[in-house]
């Protein structure tokens, strides 16, 4: 048995989380269809083509401070102020020997000026400006192209555009961008026990919470999402619904029914109407997870338990959607923290326990468990701010041991 496959009581070793992610990465081909959107609508979208700047930034040499500008080669301790350069209304002309101009932050320097001295450092007597003897020349000036030069890359293809990127493009005068079209995603809950909000809870029924978690998790400008409601535990109905949805969407996500119970039809239906790439992974919570394809549509059958849904979404679904949308995906930082709780764990699966990470006054990172780690216990997930990631071969953690943590991102 390799390190990659882990110890399990089942005959065939389950795929590790890493192997499952690799399988998904290989199976999913990034979308190539693009659309042009105005800059404001590009927030959170995936850039389809690398964008270059057609102008220098700054476009002109300008002042970094309010003060007085002069040409260093003609500097004298006393200069005469011959005008003002405002941001947007520059001083037009060249400075002669003995001259300086009043200047404000962002204002263009006179043609031959190359230095600005802060207003706090000069003495003003009418138009006579006296500079300190030890004045530093060629300071407080923003040079042409020191931020971005003509033909420099502004952002590379595959970047998910941030607020800062929008500002960067705007500063370069870019109005429209080519982005990957939105992924069309349908999500469904499955289960005879589920009722919608506002309905009375008859005996044996529970409120459908997974569609609400998924609704939140899928909030992303690069996704076009459709809430498909609840599918009863009826194989024919499930099959018809999935076949229909596969025609209209790029991705179908279901929750529940992916186990081996008598009312669990997801794997069977996927087998019959599509292809199962894998089913079940060595992850806790989240073991009964199915991945495959129905026609041209990717299928992710998540477990039913509410915390297994949110955890598999973070660990498995997010990178899968990023891959499909052509986005460069950066794994979340995993860092070490001192575990201040004792953690129970059996060998076999990689666990994502829920913790609260804090930083002490001296900068140490401490993590505690939020308590009951049952995959149906949403409250301990709600109170957490991180996953405590325990490797398959870990058989529990003593107080004071170091553990890996990943901060929640959604
Ligand atoms: P299943 O995988 O369908 O056997 O579901 C596992 C557990 O998750 C059961 O206790 C279900 O009642 C529960 N569950 C399944 N779907 C949902 C849902 N949409 N909202 C809340 N709980 C669910
Ligand atoms: Mg079920």
């Amino acid at each position: 048995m390799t390190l990659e496959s882990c110890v399990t009581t089942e005959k065939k070793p389950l795929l590790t989380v890493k192997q499952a992610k690799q399988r998904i990465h290989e199976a999913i081909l990034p979308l190539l269809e693009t659309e042009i959107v105005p800059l404001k609508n590009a927030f959170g979208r995936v850039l389809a083509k690398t964008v270059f700047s057609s102008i220098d930034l700054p476009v002109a040499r300008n002042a970094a401070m309010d003060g007085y500008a002069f040409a260093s080669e003609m500097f004298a301790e006393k200069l005469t102020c011959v005008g003002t350069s405002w941001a947007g209304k520059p001083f037009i002309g060249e400075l002669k020997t003995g001259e300086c101009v009043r200047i404000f932050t962002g204002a263009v320097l006179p043609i031959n000026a190359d230095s600005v001295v802060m207003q706090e450092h000069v003495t003003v007597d009418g138009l006579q400006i006296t500079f300190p003897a030890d004045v530093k020349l060629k300071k407080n000036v923003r040079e042409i192209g020191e931020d971005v030069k003509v033909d420099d890359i502004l952002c590379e293809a595959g970047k998910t555009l941030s607020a800062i990127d929008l500002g960067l493009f705007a500063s370069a005068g870019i109005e429209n961008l080519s982005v990957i079209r939105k992924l069309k995603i349908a999500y469904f809950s499955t289960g005879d026990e589920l009722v919608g909000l506002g309905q009375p809870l008859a005996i044996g029924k529970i409120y459908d919470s997974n569609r609400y978690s998924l609704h939140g998790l899928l909030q992303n400008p690069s996704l076009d999402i459709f809430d498909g409601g609840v599918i009863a535990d009826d194989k024919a109905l499930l099959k018809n619904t999935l076949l229909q949805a596969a025609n209209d969407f790029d991705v179908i996500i279901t929750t529940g029914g992916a186990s081996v119970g008598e009312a669990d039809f997801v794997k069977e239906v996927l087998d019959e109407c599509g292809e199962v790439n894998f089913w079940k992974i060595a992850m806790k919570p989240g073991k009964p997870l199915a991945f495959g394809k129905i026609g041209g549509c990717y299928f992710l059958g998540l477990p039913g338990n509410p915390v297994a849904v949110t955890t598999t979404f973070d660990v498995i679904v997010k990178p899968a959607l990023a891959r499909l949308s052509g986005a460069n995906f950066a794994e979340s930082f995993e860092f070490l923290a001192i575990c201040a709780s004792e953690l129970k764990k059996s060998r076999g699966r990689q666990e994502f326990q829920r913790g609260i990470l804090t930083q002490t006054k001296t900068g140490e990172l401490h993590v505690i468990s939020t308590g009951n780690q049952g995959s149906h216990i949403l409250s301990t997930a709600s109170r957490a701010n991180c996953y405590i990631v325990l490797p398959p071969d870990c058989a529990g953690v003593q107080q004071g041991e170091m553990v890996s943590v990943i901060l929640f991102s959604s």
Side-chain angles (χ1 to χ4, degrees), residues 186-190 231 235-249 252-255 265-271 273-274 294-295 297-301:
Y187 58 103
F188 301 89
S189 290
T190 70
I231 310 170
K235 192 172 155 192
L237 179 65
L238 181 67
K239 195 167 175 177
N240 286 340
T241 312
L242 296 189
L243 278 171
Q244 176 82 46
N247 289 327
D248 301 331
F249 297 92
I252 297 171
I253 300 174
T254 60
T255 66
F265 301 117
V266 166
K267 150 79 165 50
E268 233 175 293
V269 164
L270 185 59
D271 246 337
C273 64
I294 303 173
C297 175
Y298 296 100
F299 177 83
L300 286 151

Side-chain angles (χ1 to χ4, degrees), residues 303-318:
N305 275 307
V307 184
V309 171
T310 55
T311 309
T312 52
F313 188 93
D314 283 339
V315 177
I316 304 286
V317 180
K318 253 187 172 174

Side-chain angles (χ1 to χ4, degrees), residues 189-191 193-194 206-211 233 255-259 263-264 288 302-306 376:
S189 290
T190 70
E193 73 278 35
L194 305 175
I206 60 170
Y207 289 120
D208 173 9
S209 66
N210 289 345
R211 270 187 308 128
D233 290 321
T255 66
S259 253
D264 294 334
L302 308 187
N305 275 307
H376 58 300

